[in-house]
Amino acid sequence: MTDRPEPVSPEILEQLADASGGRAASAKLKDGVMTLVLDVGGLGPDERASLERAVRAAGIGVPGVTDVRIAMTAEKAAGPRIIAVGSGKGGVGKSTLSVNLAVALSRLGFKVGMVDADIYGPSLPRLLSSEGVKPRAQDSRMIPIANSYGVPMLSMGHLIEPGQAIAWRGPMAGNALGQLLDAHWQGTDILVVDLPPGTGDVQLTMLQKHKPAGAVIVSTPQDLALIDATRAINLFEQANVPIIGMVENMSGYACPHCGEVSDPFGHGGAEAAAKSMDLDFLGRVPLEIGIRRASDGGEPPAAGTGAESEPFLAIAARVAEWLRKG
């Protein structure tokens, strides 16, 4: 006997996530009775009934569970507008762009938060100098972690040990994303979400349950990166999520010794792709060792006043203009 319901184990959470497609949350167990919340938003009556039966069967199948009580929710209170930052592929500097966009928007007067949706490879704790910090919880929801840059954030990197691998299937990853996005974001106007590479389960969960107000697409000028960026754009367009614009990252390298500018990844590819798809081009970020060093040190260049902050501030100004029109 316990005085209060206890959270269920990760194994049971995975069973519920599989049965619900990631829609079950806040599962607790007391005296053989399992209680949970089931998000049925966007589902018809028959779909809701079928989903409820599947989740109830999964709960009753747990040893020691005699009853399953389900609270179904379909509507959520209005929250911050979500800006999704995607790329279609890894290695294009999307996380660095996401962090600096959030910091620059904060400097422009927006109340900004950040979610690291790269469940399997979280990097935002390093980029915002909050490694090793654990979030607190209130009313079964996490409280975002504050930092000196005025951008509260949450990441799976705050919940696991450094270097620990996360070997979860799609529904579990989607459920984890929901926990991050459904945290206490009161007082936040804009939520910048750094998506993982590709167009997989996490992206689909985002689009189905937490529809972004708009998306920023990051690419290098390289043709291979642009091919994958086009896939990401197509995914957002299928979900009727507006594309705010494209950013060309790693665009040009100035030799620190002679000053000559070279283009290891090409030049102008993202701008040309944006033009061909009738999308706004938000700007370029050069390939600079100073940006890399500052980012690895947890000091976003956009928080400073040097030349390295200028590309991010210019891109944020374009995004801010889009947000104000909306």
Side-chain angles (χ1 to χ4, degrees):
M1 300 286 286
T2 59
D3 293 332
R4 65 178 64 184
E6 297 291 336
V8 301
S9 69
E11 293 76 16
I12 296 174
L13 280 177
E14 184 167 2
Q15 294 177 36
L16 295 172
D18 286 341
S20 68
R23 288 175 174 263
S26 303
K28 291 182 174 62
L29 186 60
K30 178 184 177 184
D31 300 337
V33 178
M34 181 184 292
T35 60
L36 58 91
V37 176
L38 188 62
D39 176 15
V40 293
L43 301 181
D46 292 341
E47 293 174 305
R48 294 184 184 192
S50 176
L51 185 62
E52 182 183 12
R53 287 194 297 270
V55 173
R56 190 178 299 280
I60 288 292
V62 173
V65 173
T66 58
D67 189 17
V68 178
R69 298 175 183 174
I70 300 173
M72 292 189 286
T73 63
E75 301 294 335
K76 296 184 177 181
R81 286 190 288 174
I82 293 174
I83 297 177
V85 181
S87 64
K89 74 180 274 87
V92 299
K94 171 183 51 57
S95 294
T96 299
L97 188 282
S98 298
V99 166
N100 283 281
L101 173 62
V103 171
L105 285 172
S106 178
R107 291 184 63 181
L108 292 174
F110 292 91
K111 296 178 181 177
V112 185
M114 277 214 75
V115 165
D116 189 350
D118 195 345
I119 304 299
Y120 303 107
S123 57
L124 265 61
R126 167 65 61 88
L127 293 168
L128 278 171
S129 192
S130 60
E131 289 177 296
V133 182
K134 301 295 183 184
R136 296 181 296 110
Q138 179 180 337
D139 302 326
S140 300
R141 295 162 62 198
M142 285 185 284
I143 299 174
I145 293 172
N147 53 63
S148 59
Y149 305 107
V151 180
M153 63 167 296
L154 284 173
S155 167
M156 278 303 298
H158 293 127
L159 303 174
I160 61 172
E161 295 303 317
Q164 179 182 339
I166 300 176
W168 289 347
R169 287 179 288 178
M172 281 292 286
N175 191 50
L177 174 64
Q179 296 288 328
L180 300 177
L181 289 169
D182 289 334
H184 286 284
W185 292 109
Q186 290 89 340
T188 299
D189 300 324
I190 304 296
L191 202 56
V192 175
V193 177
D194 177 30
L195 290 174
T199 54
D201 290 317
V202 173
Q203 286 85 346
L204 292 174
T205 298
M206 163 72 75
L207 295 174
Q208 292 169 357
K209 299 179 64 177
H210 307 275
K211 189 173 180 179
V216 172
I217 306 299
V218 184
S219 178
T220 65
Q222 189 179 12
D223 287 345
L224 287 175
L226 289 164
I227 291 170
D228 290 319
T230 301
R231 295 191 182 102
I233 290 168
N234 182 255
L235 178 69
F236 285 117
E237 289 180 338
Q238 286 183 34
N240 295 317
V241 173
I243 305 297
I244 300 173
M246 290 187 69
V247 173
E248 183 170 288
N249 199 21
M250 307 182 192
S251 180
Y253 172 73
C255 175
H257 304 294
C258 67
E260 181 180 351
V261 177
S262 59
D263 299 301
F265 297 105
H267 181 78
E271 183 174 13
K275 184 176 181 180
S276 70
M277 291 182 281
D278 197 26
L279 299 175
D280 286 338
F281 180 66
L282 301 177
R284 294 184 177 86
V285 179
L287 182 63
E288 287 190 6
I289 193 168
I291 293 176
R292 194 273 300 167
R293 285 174 175 163
S295 298
D296 284 350
E299 300 176 355
T305 57
E308 289 154 357
S309 70
E310 293 175 1
F312 301 112
L313 293 171
I315 290 166
R318 299 289 302 275
V319 174
E321 181 182 1
W322 186 91
L323 288 167
R324 289 176 178 129
K325 288 180 179 178

